[in-house]
Amino acid sequence: MAEWSWVVYTVVEVLISVACCLGNMLVVCAVCVGLRDSLREPTFCFLVSLAVADFLVGVAAVPLAVLLDGWVSLTPDLCLLLSCVVLVLTQASVLSLLAIAVDRYLRLHIPLRYKSLATQRRTWLAVSMCWILSCLLGFTPLFGWNNYSSLTSDSTNASSSSPILPPCTFLSVISLPFMVYYNFLGCVMAPLLVMTLLYIRIFWSLQGRLKDSCPQARASLLRERRLACSLALVLILFASCWIPLHLMNCLLLFHGPQAVPRGALYTGILLSHANSALNPVVYAYRIPKIQQAYSQIWRRFLLRLNCCHEDEQVPRSITSSLTNHTEKCGSGGKATP
């Protein structure tokens, strides 16, 4: 990659990282502070889980993507471990989206049993299971399916001649067959297919109920459909941002490095990271409860800013009044014979 294009890539990655951190931190604050009662709703618990995964993309995955592009020399073990962190965060996003889809499906199709099934304890247990499973799936290369042997032999040959370690890159330790057959087809496409079927079933059911519903039930069903549309949009954005990069991995596996231009590969990486920055924008525009929480947080911020400004003005007014009083007293003293 040319020097100027690498600078552009790095700058864009930094901007994406900042947007991921600020936007998703605001989502977590909005739900945990502005919508405390909503934490009892499973959907918002899973949204917090997704926001945490997106926040960690900005904190860890994006910096690692920049560093693990041959810019640092690490031992094969450490290089493999850091590369797996990116896989864990991607898997956490996928499983959080799957949990949201399952939750909306159960809420719509078994409404009478839903409240007894989806308790707060079970919801947070499901969130924990999503992250535990993400770690197990994401750290799979540590247990053998990797390029560790070839990298170790390279580092051994290098160490015999010089103590310099080989540069660490993602594909130097993560094998392409793993990325295509296991990660893409098994851990990404299979859940995406299940989620697609669930949302088709949800919209089909909502459409049928809206035709035969009374006015009171119609309003509730319309709110349910709006929320389902918003969550489906998050799913579509995830697929649109991640599938191009996985398709490039397929081309690399079956046709070699010449099949994918380097610029296209970096564009796919940027697009996959940008997904984590787009989700908070979707929440703000599409989910009314989060809109209200954003507004509430913004009003609190302006109120505190105004209070701080007034606190600064009070000492100034007191000081100026004391100064005027002193000057008056001084002038009065001079006028006395």
Side-chain angles (χ1 to χ4, degrees):
M1 184 185 284
E3 184 177 351
W4 66 269
S5 56
W6 170 253
V7 172
V8 172
Y9 168 75
T10 306
V11 170
V12 175
E13 284 282 41
V14 170
L15 294 176
I16 290 174
S17 178
V18 173
C20 288
C21 294
L22 294 179
N24 289 287
M25 186 167 57
L26 183 60
V27 172
V28 175
C29 291
V31 177
C32 295
V33 177
L35 296 172
R36 290 180 183 177
D37 292 337
S38 294
L39 274 177
R40 298 176 184 175
E41 298 182 25
T43 299
F44 287 95
C45 294
F46 296 129
L47 274 181
V48 168
S49 175
L50 180 59
V52 169
D54 288 336
F55 173 79
L56 292 177
V57 167
V59 171
V62 173
L64 286 176
V66 175
L67 291 176
L68 301 183
D69 194 36
W71 287 94
V72 291
S73 297
L74 302 171
T75 62
D77 293 319
L78 184 57
C79 184
L80 182 60
L81 177 64
L82 294 178
S83 298
C84 288
V85 171
V86 180
L87 300 176
V88 170
L89 296 178
T90 305
Q91 201 59 47
S93 297
V94 173
L95 293 181
S96 296
L97 288 170
L98 178 59
I100 291 171
V102 172
D103 171 68
R104 302 319 297 177
Y105 179 83
L106 294 177
R107 182 185 179 91
L108 188 64
H109 286 85
I110 50 169
L112 298 178
R113 294 181 56 202
Y114 176 78
K115 288 188 177 181
S116 61
L117 286 174
T119 61
Q120 193 171 11
R121 179 175 173 275
R122 287 177 179 173
T123 300
W124 287 111
L125 182 61
V127 170
S128 303
M129 289 301 299
C130 286
W131 280 91
I132 292 171
L133 190 57
S134 299
C135 291
L136 293 176
L137 296 174
F139 285 125
T140 299
L142 294 176
F143 302 104
W145 199 349
N146 53 51
N147 290 333
Y148 184 87
S149 57
S150 60
L151 191 64
T152 304
S153 61
D154 293 341
S155 62
T156 303
N157 295 332
S159 62
S160 61
S161 57
S162 64
I164 299 176
L165 293 170
C168 174
T169 62
F170 183 82
L171 290 179
S172 67
V173 289
I174 305 295
S175 69
L176 278 172
F178 169 84
M179 288 300 298
V180 172
Y181 298 121
Y182 181 86
N183 187 260
F184 178 41
L185 297 179
C187 298
V188 175
M189 283 306 296
L192 283 179
L193 180 60
V194 173
M195 286 183 267
T196 303
L197 294 175
L198 287 175
Y199 278 112
I200 290 174
R201 186 73 181 87
I202 287 170
F203 287 121
W204 185 277
S205 178
L206 283 172
Q207 190 65 26
R209 294 187 187 189
L210 281 169
K211 291 180 181 179
D212 305 323
S213 61
C214 60
Q216 293 83 359
R218 186 177 180 82
S220 176
L221 290 172
L222 286 173
R223 286 195 300 270
E224 185 71 26
R225 188 175 69 174
R226 177 181 174 83
L227 181 57
C229 288
S230 304
L231 298 173
L233 177 59
V234 173
L235 175 63
I236 292 170
L237 283 174
F238 180 87
S240 302
C241 291
W242 277 99
I243 287 179
L245 182 60
H246 284 291
L247 292 178
M248 291 181 205
N249 286 334
C250 295
L251 290 175
L252 289 172
L253 176 63
F254 297 118
H255 299 285
Q258 69 279 0
V260 180
R262 199 164 179 80
L265 187 62
Y266 281 104
T267 303
I269 294 172
L270 288 173
L271 188 62
S272 65
H273 294 159
N275 173 249
S276 298
L278 291 175
N279 285 339
V281 179
V282 176
Y283 305 151
Y285 280 97
R286 297 286 306 178
I287 302 179
K289 283 189 176 182
I290 293 185
Q291 288 177 359
Q292 296 169 9
Y294 282 171
S295 301
Q296 186 178 351
I297 290 174
W298 181 245
R299 284 196 298 269
R300 286 182 183 178
F301 174 75
L302 291 179
L303 183 61
R304 289 185 180 181
L305 195 66
N306 190 33
C307 291
C308 292
H309 183 67
E310 289 178 356
D311 290 341
E312 290 179 359
Q313 295 260 343
V314 170
R316 289 180 184 175
S317 61
I318 294 174
T319 304
S320 61
S321 62
L322 288 174
T323 303
N324 293 335
H325 180 71
T326 305
E327 288 177 354
K328 288 179 181 179
C329 293
S331 61
K334 289 179 182 178
T336 304

